[in-house]
């Protein structure tokens, strides 16, 4: 399903594209930068606050652009570790943006490492059997403006938390493209959005602190390898053999490990940075020692970091996380081989429970006719 917004979102404009549109109105070249400063640096939320613009220009802008294409529907905080923003789009579709705070030893939660997890599609077409996001299939791609607007909503949220010392987005450590959707299936909008996040006239967020996670779309990984952008890459591996992987990830049929692994190798070679292999541990599915040994071999070959994630149960799905002993035994195979590995255990459910679960719940509630109305922030 395609969604064509009545007005184009301002958050989808680059400095170049906005300059060009303003030029047709007889505006000087510096005007676009002024407007983007109001949006990204001063973070105003109405056209009227852009006080150095003449009134007729403000009126033209309001007629031509949507200042903010997403609205905050719900903000759910759990145990001070994750903050989930449920956001409504112009066609009332819902997406999630998650702020994850990982506390550091010996300091308060305000000094946590902060990661923002953003979505790139409404729903997902990849149909991984364990994932809540794909249960209802793909509804549509997000446009670049909707992807960028998620970050601005996070800024507004943080600005409101600390009104006196307005928090810069730079106070976040990482942005991960691991929310709803397959980012590389929405390639052009993704790249445009990340370019805006990265640009100094935009949010100014360093490319090396942005990670794109993919289920393994090989041609797009190769395309990304050719770009001169410096974003990091994570691969959702979840199976260390084709036999296991294709049972849980249909994408493995089109792009089996024999195609995926060389593509990842090429990406690492071109970018000179460690790629991350994500591996969810699901009891009785991919948590055996032979799987750990195969994963070890792949990680060694690719010089990759391995991120082991105990599975988060999804209502209505049968999958479970393995016992802690079993998780540790799996991780030990990698540690013994001196593979760089993380196994997130504490508050794992809280921390990783991004992936479409909040949206799913809200859409279910809507089906019961008791839905929360799409309310402005
Ligand atoms: N489509 C992209 C990005 C979105 S999913 C990808 O596949 O990488 C982000 C990550 O969350 C993926 O590694 C995905 O496999 C994982 N994931 C999905 N459902 C999960 C669950 N219930 N528990 C733990 N991780 C999950």
């Amino acid at each position: 399903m395609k969604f064509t917004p009545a007005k184009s979102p301002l958050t989808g404009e680059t400095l170049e594209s906005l300059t060009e549109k303003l030029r047709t109105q007889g505006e000087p070249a510096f005007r676009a930068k002024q407007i983007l400063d109001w949006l990204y640096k001063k973070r105003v939320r109405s056209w009227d606050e852009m006080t150095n613009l003449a009134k007729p220009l403000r009126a033209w802008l309001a007629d031509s652009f949507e200042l903010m294409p997403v609205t905050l529907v719900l903000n759910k905080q759990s145990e001070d570790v994750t903050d989930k923003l449920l956001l409504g789009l112009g066609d009332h579709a819902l997406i999630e943006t998650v702020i994850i705070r990982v506390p550091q030893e010996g300091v308060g939660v305000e000094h946590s490492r902060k990661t923002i997890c953003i979505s790139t599609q409404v729903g997902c077409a990849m149909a991984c059997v364990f994932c809540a996001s794909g249960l209802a299939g793909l509804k549509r791609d997000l446009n670049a403006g909707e992807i960028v607007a998620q970050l601005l909503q996070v800024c507004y949220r943080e600005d409101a938390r600390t009104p006196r010392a307005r928090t810069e987005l730079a106070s976040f450590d990482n942005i991960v493209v691991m929310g709803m959707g397959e980012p590389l299936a929405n390639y052009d909008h993704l790249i445009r959005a990340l370019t805006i996040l990265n640009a100094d006239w935009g949010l100014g967020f360093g490319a090396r602190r942005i990670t794109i996670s993919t289920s393994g779309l090989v041609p797009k990984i190769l395309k990304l390898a050719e770009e001169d952008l410096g974003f990091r890459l994570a691969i959702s591996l979840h199976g260390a053999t084709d036999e296991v992987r294709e049972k849980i990830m249909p994408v493995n049929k089109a792009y089996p490990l024999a195609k995926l692994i060389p593509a990842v190798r090429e990406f690492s070679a071109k970018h000179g940075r460690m790629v991350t292999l994500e591996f969810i541990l699901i009891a009785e599915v991919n948590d055996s020692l032979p799987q750990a040994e195969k994963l070890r071999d792949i990680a060694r070959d690719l010089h990759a970091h391995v991120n082991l994630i105990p599975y988060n149960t999804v209502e209505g799905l049968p999958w479970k996380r393995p016992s802690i002993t079993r998780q540790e035994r799996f991780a030990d195979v990698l540690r013994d081989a001196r593979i760089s590995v993380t196994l997130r255990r504490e508050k794992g459910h809280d921390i990783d429970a991004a992936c479409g679960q909040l949206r799913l719940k809200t859409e279910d509630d809507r089906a019961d006719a008791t839905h929360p109305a799409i309310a402005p922030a």
Side-chain angles (χ1 to χ4, degrees):
M1 203 196 328
K2 223 175 137 45
F3 168 62
T4 315
K7 299 182 216 173
S8 42
L10 186 64
T11 46
E13 298 293 333
T14 61
L15 181 62
E16 208 182 2
S17 66
L18 188 60
T19 304
E20 184 50 33
K21 287 182 182 175
L22 287 162
R23 205 180 54 80
T24 64
Q25 298 302 302
E27 290 292 333
F30 62 81
R31 200 66 82 204
K33 175 79 168 54
Q34 275 182 335
I35 294 168
L36 295 179
D37 269 358
W38 283 116
L39 183 67
Y40 295 114
K41 306 291 191 300
K42 304 192 188 93
R43 295 209 274 275
V44 300
R45 300 177 72 173
S46 71
W47 299 106
D48 283 339
E49 288 170 86
M50 303 188 179
T51 47
N52 60 358
L53 309 181
K55 268 201 174 149
L57 174 60
R58 272 186 256 160
W60 178 80
L61 288 166
D63 273 350
S64 312
F65 297 98
E66 194 70 63
L67 185 58
M68 176 42 64
V70 309
T71 49
L72 183 65
V73 174
L74 192 73
N75 181 357
K76 193 177 167 196
Q77 213 168 353
S78 55
E79 295 189 26
D80 229 13
V81 176
T82 57
D83 240 347
K84 293 190 189 184
L85 309 186
L86 187 69
L87 302 172
L89 311 180
D91 56 354
H92 290 203
L94 296 171
I95 52 165
E96 288 180 14
T97 306
V98 184
I99 305 166
I100 306 158
R101 298 187 169 79
V102 181
Q104 305 297 291
E105 250 172 73
V107 292
V109 76
E110 280 314 309
H111 300 280
S112 311
R113 280 185 70 80
K114 284 188 276 186
T115 297
I116 309 168
C117 177
I118 59 173
S119 297
T120 52
Q121 295 181 313
V122 182
C124 184
M126 303 315 294
C128 301
V129 300
F130 47 80
C131 178
S133 289
L135 285 180
L138 174 69
K139 216 162 158 194
R140 69 169 173 91
D141 286 338
L142 296 188
N143 59 45
E146 290 167 330
I147 299 174
V148 172
Q150 295 173 61
L151 274 304
L152 271 180
Q153 288 288 348
V154 170
C155 288
Y156 297 159
R157 165 90 189 73
E158 294 297 298
D159 294 346
R161 274 165 65 100
T162 51
R164 259 185 266 167
R166 176 170 277 231
T167 329
E168 292 294 325
L169 188 62
S171 79
F172 282 86
D173 299 284
N174 295 293
I175 294 174
V176 294
V177 191
M178 288 192 190
M180 205 190 309
E182 168 49 51
L184 295 189
N186 187 13
Y187 192 90
D188 294 342
H189 290 142
L190 171 79
I191 298 299
R192 186 176 176 98
L194 296 186
T195 302
I196 296 169
L197 295 183
N198 179 228
D200 53 7
W201 46 259
L203 279 166
F205 201 87
R208 271 174 294 169
R209 294 190 291 144
I210 301 178
T211 302
I212 303 168
S213 177
T214 178
S215 59
L217 296 182
V218 166
K220 296 293 166 55
I221 293 172
L222 294 172
K223 189 168 177 192
L224 194 65
E226 293 302 322
E227 310 254 12
D228 205 13
L229 292 166
F231 303 122
R232 288 180 185 271
L233 183 67
I235 305 291
S236 294
L237 198 65
H238 308 334
T241 54
D242 284 326
E243 195 201 350
V244 169
R245 194 167 190 263
E246 76 182 26
K247 270 189 210 148
I248 52 177
M249 299 181 71
V251 66
N252 196 72
K253 296 206 175 76
Y255 305 115
L257 296 175
K259 290 187 176 156
L260 179 59
I261 291 169
V264 177
R265 191 180 297 123
E266 186 163 334
F267 183 93
S268 312
K270 290 234 162 88
H271 286 251
R273 286 204 196 93
M274 248 189 173
V275 165
T276 296
L277 302 176
E278 309 274 348
F279 205 92
I280 321 177
L281 292 170
I282 312 177
E284 319 273 326
V285 172
N286 63 1
D287 62 339
S288 69
L289 291 183
Q291 279 290 299
E293 286 159 8
K294 286 274 180 354
L295 176 59
R296 171 198 65 200
D297 296 344
I298 296 171
R300 190 189 274 143
D301 168 37
L302 292 172
H303 302 290
H305 172 78
V306 175
N307 193 11
L308 298 175
I309 310 154
Y311 180 65
N312 283 306
T313 46
V314 174
E315 232 176 274
L317 295 181
W319 320 102
K320 296 207 163 50
R321 56 170 60 182
S323 68
I324 288 181
T325 323
R326 225 173 140 84
Q327 292 172 28
E328 286 296 339
R329 216 177 282 159
F330 192 101
D332 279 342
V333 172
L334 296 145
R335 291 181 189 128
D336 289 349
R338 300 187 175 278
I339 303 291
S340 160
V341 58
T342 42
L343 167 60
R344 275 192 261 140
R345 272 223 325 262
E346 273 164 46
K347 305 199 175 168
H349 271 271
D350 245 20
I351 289 170
D352 292 313
C355 315
Q357 293 178 26
L358 180 62
R359 163 182 171 263
L360 199 69
K361 190 152 185 338
T362 309
E363 300 233 307
D364 285 354
D365 291 350
R366 277 182 173 185
D368 297 343
T370 52
H371 65 83
I374 306 259

